[in-house]
Amino acid sequence: MSVVERQQWDVVVIGAGGAGLRAAIEARENGARTAVICKSLFGKAHTVMAEGGIAAAMGNVNSGDNWQVHFRDTMRGGKFLNQWRMAELHAKEAPDRVWELETWGALFDRTKDGRISQRNFGGHEYPRLAHVGDRTGLELIRTLQQKVVALQQEDHAESGDHEANLKVFQECTVTRVLTGDDGRVRGVFCYERESGRFFVIEAPSVVLATGGIGKSFKVTSNSWEYTGDGHALALLAGAPLLNMEFVQFHPTGMVWPPSVKGILVTESVRGDGGVLRNSDGKRFMFDYVPDVFKEKYAESEDEGDRWYDDPDHNRRPPELLPRDEVARAINAEVKAGRGSPHGGVFLDVSTRMPADVIRRRLPSMYHQFKELADVDITAEAMEVGPTCHYVMGGVAVDSDSAAARGVPGLFAAGEVAGGMHGSNRLGGNSLSDLLVFGRRAGLHAARYAAESPADDRPTVTDEQIDTASAEALRPFSAEAETRSEEPGTAPENPYTLHQELQQTMNDLVGIIRREGEMEEALRKLADLRVRARRAGVEGHRQFNPGWHLALDLRNMLLVSECIARAALERTESRGGHTREDRPGMDRSWRRVNLLCRLRESGAGVAAADPARGQIRLERDTPEPIRPDLLALFEKEELVKYLSEEELFD
Ligand code: FAD
């Protein structure tokens, strides 16, 4: 039996990005003793990379903006597959969450009359993104971190212990959310990355705030943390994942040099006036405005250019279409042989703004290109192409409480949660999502924990700890096990497996999908799963990145199978899911949510035959959109999205 330290808290938040910190603050403020666990250093979560801004209908730059317009834009962007109640709450509550950040010390860029400035972004009808240059995520995390420290100082003043009610366990990874026989959450199993030591935190409420899945793809804007851990933890605990086929490929990642391929070029470049051109110098986006958006976008370059100064009397340029549309257009131009020398297209601000304005409004982009590609964006165009950026699919949650479906005590917020963005997220809507639903998850997790008295809580069993320890230690015994079970077979290198996985997902389940390729991907994933059982590492448990990766592979393989299976099942193209063999949106699919569930549950997963698929799909019908929200749209527009039954109900 393993001897593993146990601690008891009310709420455990897994993740210290925007969603996790906002959840932790709310849980602590509602009286819950709260532990935060994160893989990286405190303050280094992926959210710090966010550049462009936080979408919130404050109406500071254009007073025409309000929550109804934001709600409409979000639903259109998601092609009406959004969990509409989430989109409603998000649009209504985002302004309060931004103002609240300001009261906690955030310093946003200002308008001339001193209000929080807001910038244009794709798919948003009005300038809506509150920002701090192109480093908004950094300011968001800095502010939330400062708030955490302020709460810890309050606790110190009262109890003499900074960590009495809110403690951060940094550089620790959770490998299992543990549940009891009744399916309720009991706690989490974790390891310290530096020492390799295991520990258990017992708590009735766990909030998943682990971010995304991008590291399953070769070309991605995402950081090393994005191995889909929270998605996998939810599945393994018994919660379904929703609509995993929807993965956002951001249209503008760097394409050159190869070592930085995929790094993001923020949408603010286009929001502030940057234009896309092909190798003939043509602003090609005018050729790619889909019918559903035709009335809302400029038909000529002149009109598009006039919109920047006079948005009330002109339509916006098509460079500001939602991301899925722009990414597909770039892909098509490159495929047609009109790409840039390194396989992208040109994104130009140099001919659109004076150099000093570019340096002031886009300081990170200026430095990024200068240092990484030796390109001066004030004098020449950037080369850009699509990069895997965001997952719209995620843990199926209750819209109001962020409670994960089917696992009492489990909550999810931020990128790991599904539903809010439908089939495609609008830029800026993630940072606001983190704040709105991070707060809600923290609140409801605290309330749920309060229902269970601290001195009478079911605990994690020794057997559960032994099973979780054995699973985590398996890569160290892979060599011996492989030699005894399959003589003549060598253990597998986790880095090789990871590279093959990334290539498979990039090539076969990427931006443009085809039935045969997705079937091939599922075969390759089965083979990788078999080989991943033999993933072996050398050395010891003290900071051993090979071991960490071997453990992360379980999560990436689960998530990748979800994406491939759901993408094969959805026989239409919508938002972040484009099928060459099924072009066009099929209105009957609006009534279908695809849920991914684990075939075997709990410890059975480790024992199950890896060659068999681990995921099964279920179809689920979304709740009909509330009539007062439908009334915000013209009937002619709804006809483009809703199924016949919905229109005539
Ligand atoms: P994160 O900030 O990623 O935090 C996840 C946390 O979970 C981390 O602390 C991590 O250590 C922890 N974690 C993960 N797994 C485990 C585990 N197993 N055990 C313990 N801890 C774990 N969105 C916008 O709205 N506006 C923008 O301008 C914008 N710009 C972006 C720019 C870039 C380059 C990128 C990549 C994304 C951008 N996004 C933007 C998207 C947005 O940044 C993310 O969707 C968002 O930050 C996700 O936040 P989160 O709180 O869900 O997760």
Side-chain angles (χ1 to χ4, degrees):
M1 190 183 83
S2 323
V3 180
V4 167
E5 184 200 342
R6 296 173 188 239
Q7 297 199 16
Q8 286 76 34
W9 292 78
D10 297 327
V11 173
V12 177
V13 178
I14 313 177
L21 291 183
R22 189 61 193 83
I25 290 165
E26 196 67 19
R28 150 67 181 77
E29 291 205 307
N30 280 275
R33 286 185 65 250
T34 303
V36 180
I37 308 180
C38 54
K39 287 209 280 199
S40 52
L41 288 167
F42 187 37
K44 295 278 182 196
H46 187 87
T47 298
V48 294
M49 291 164 71
E51 295 165 353
I54 310 176
M58 297 187 287
N60 286 355
V61 174
N62 189 320
S63 59
D65 205 7
N66 56 45
W67 77 261
Q68 289 92 339
V69 187
H70 194 179
F71 171 78
R72 277 204 301 258
D73 289 346
T74 301
M75 294 294 289
R76 285 177 186 134
K79 305 267 171 17
F80 275 67
L81 209 69
N82 319 57
Q83 207 152 307
W84 54 265
R85 173 68 176 153
M86 288 178 95
E88 179 193 12
L89 290 169
H90 167 259
K92 283 180 171 165
E93 294 178 8
D96 283 346
R97 298 286 75 79
V98 174
W99 283 314
E100 171 183 78
L101 274 189
E102 205 177 38
T103 66
W104 294 348
L107 291 168
F108 289 100
D109 291 350
R110 319 305 294 185
T111 59
K112 284 199 180 83
D113 58 355
R115 292 189 282 176
I116 293 177
S117 176
Q118 299 190 268
R119 64 162 43 121
N120 288 306
F121 242 54
H124 292 281
E125 187 161 341
Y126 295 114
R128 189 176 283 148
L129 269 70
H131 55 92
V132 184
D134 54 6
R135 296 174 184 146
T136 312
L138 181 63
E139 182 67 358
L140 188 145
I141 288 292
R142 187 196 66 74
T143 306
L144 294 176
Q145 212 176 339
Q146 185 172 307
K147 178 71 181 169
V148 166
V149 172
L151 290 171
Q152 289 178 323
Q153 283 168 346
E154 268 177 32
D155 289 340
H156 183 258
E158 222 164 83
S159 67
D161 178 3
H162 283 106
E163 294 178 334
N165 296 316
L166 183 51
K167 179 170 167 130
V168 179
F169 297 78
Q170 58 180 345
E171 296 199 293
C172 294
T173 301
V174 176
T175 62
R176 281 279 177 170
V177 171
L178 302 169
T179 54
D181 293 339
D182 56 0
R184 288 174 184 274
V185 164
R186 290 194 178 173
V188 295
F189 182 87
C190 337
Y191 69 89
E192 276 180 0
R193 298 175 77 83
E194 199 182 344
S195 66
R197 187 182 70 91
F198 295 145
F199 64 103
V200 164
I201 298 187
E202 291 174 320
S205 294
V206 169
V207 178
L208 297 170
T210 48
I213 56 95
K215 279 294 165 192
S216 294
F217 288 80
K218 188 172 172 203
V219 180
T220 178
S221 63
N222 290 179
S223 80
W224 65 272
E225 294 181 293
Y226 270 26
T227 49
D229 295 9
H231 291 77
L233 291 171
L235 274 175
L236 292 164
L241 302 186
L242 174 77
N243 293 339
M244 288 299 288
E245 62 276 32
F246 297 112
V247 175
Q248 182 170 81
F249 293 85
H250 194 291
T252 61
M254 292 178 81
V255 293
W256 182 260
S259 58
V260 299
K261 192 166 177 169
I263 290 186
L264 193 73
V265 179
T266 175
E267 194 165 325
S268 327
V269 176
R270 282 171 288 134
D272 287 357
V275 292
L276 290 163
R277 292 204 173 89
N278 63 19
S279 56
D280 301 333
K282 182 176 177 192
R283 271 179 76 177
F284 58 84
M285 278 310 301
F286 288 91
D287 298 339
Y288 290 95
V289 183
D291 285 347
V292 284
F293 290 120
K294 273 239 148 66
E295 290 138 37
K296 303 208 170 313
Y297 285 81
E299 276 166 43
S300 69
E301 291 190 26
D302 281 349
E303 186 188 359
D305 287 349
R306 284 196 305 272
W307 172 84
Y308 286 101
D309 296 323
D310 184 7
D312 293 337
H313 301 101
N314 296 286
R315 290 170 297 175
R316 53 186 31 235
E319 278 90 357
L320 291 178
L321 275 160
R323 289 173 175 174
D324 53 331
E325 310 291 354
V326 185
R328 273 192 294 273
I330 293 177
N331 199 64
E333 285 297 303
V334 175
K335 217 169 148 192
R338 295 187 291 270
S340 65
H342 299 107
V345 293
F346 296 104
L347 172 59
D348 183 29
V349 272
S350 66
T351 56
R352 313 270 303 167
M353 280 188 259
D356 61 318
V357 176
I358 296 173
R359 277 193 291 266
R360 180 162 42 81
R361 290 190 67 94
L362 302 165
S364 301
M365 287 302 107
Y366 175 75
H367 288 293
Q368 184 172 309
F369 273 88
K370 197 89 193 100
E371 280 157 31
L372 301 178
D374 198 23
V375 167
D376 177 357
I377 68 168
T378 66
E380 51 192 317
M382 302 162 240
E383 279 185 73
V384 295
T387 177
C388 173
H389 185 59
Y390 185 89
V391 61
M392 274 71 68
V395 182
V397 290
D398 172 67
S399 300
D400 286 77
S401 67
R405 203 183 290 186
V407 182
L410 189 63
F411 299 80
E415 193 167 338
V416 68
M420 160 65 207
H421 306 284
S423 65
N424 174 50
R425 173 178 73 90
L426 294 186
N429 268 2
S430 172
L431 294 187
S432 38
D433 166 2
L434 310 181
L435 297 170
V436 169
F437 294 103
R439 188 191 77 85
R440 286 180 163 268
L443 174 67
H444 291 280
R447 284 185 184 162
Y448 180 87
E451 287 167 15
S452 145
D455 52 0
D456 185 28
R457 286 179 182 160
T459 53
V460 169
T461 64
D462 290 338
E463 195 192 346
Q464 282 180 303
I465 296 178
D466 286 345
T467 308
S469 304
E471 180 185 43
L473 290 173
R474 190 183 159 91
F476 289 107
S477 55
E479 177 150 10
E481 278 179 39
T482 306
R483 292 202 198 290
S484 74
E485 283 170 18
E486 298 163 69
T489 318
E492 294 279 349
N493 179 332
Y495 291 96
T496 309
L497 294 171
H498 187 205
Q499 274 170 11
E500 288 183 34
L501 169 65
Q502 289 182 315
Q503 196 72 56
T504 301
M505 292 305 285
N506 229 76
D507 295 349
L508 305 176
V509 203
I511 179 165
I512 307 289
R513 299 165 173 173
R514 298 162 194 92
E515 182 174 308
E517 290 185 354
M518 289 183 283
E519 284 165 350
E520 191 188 337
L522 284 166
R523 283 192 295 275
K524 288 196 168 187
L525 289 173
D527 174 55
L528 285 167
R529 272 197 308 274
V530 173
R531 290 167 56 201
R533 288 283 286 270
R534 301 197 300 267
V537 293
E538 290 179 352
H540 42 66
R541 280 157 64 176
Q542 277 93 12
F543 200 87
N544 184 337
W547 178 40
H548 302 166
L549 179 60
L551 298 181
D552 292 344
L553 277 173
R554 177 200 68 186
N555 304 333
M556 286 188 277
L557 283 165
L558 275 172
V559 164
S560 299
E561 189 186 339
C562 289
I563 296 171
R565 266 191 208 289
L568 185 60
E569 180 81 1
R570 187 174 282 275
T571 47
E572 65 157 352
S573 292
R574 182 187 291 265
H577 170 60
T578 306
R579 287 188 57 156
E580 195 176 73
D581 53 351
R582 303 285 181 152
M585 195 163 64
D586 174 348
R587 288 186 300 153
S588 60
W589 271 101
R590 205 211 75 79
R591 298 295 303 280
V592 182
N593 280 330
L594 293 176
L595 292 179
C596 294
R597 287 185 188 274
L598 212 59
R599 279 185 196 276
E600 278 84 13
S601 61
V605 179
D609 175 5
R612 271 187 68 211
Q614 291 177 292
I615 301 298
R616 64 184 167 84
L617 289 177
E618 263 176 27
R619 289 188 181 209
D620 187 47
T621 312
E623 217 184 308
I625 303 175
R626 227 175 46 223
D628 60 303
L629 296 175
L630 276 185
L632 297 172
F633 299 88
E634 300 289 333
K635 183 87 188 260
E636 297 81 72
E637 184 173 11
L638 292 178
V639 169
K640 298 174 191 166
Y641 295 104
L642 302 193
S643 61
E644 296 294 322
E645 309 94 282
E646 291 174 284
L647 285 168
F648 298 109
D649 262 357

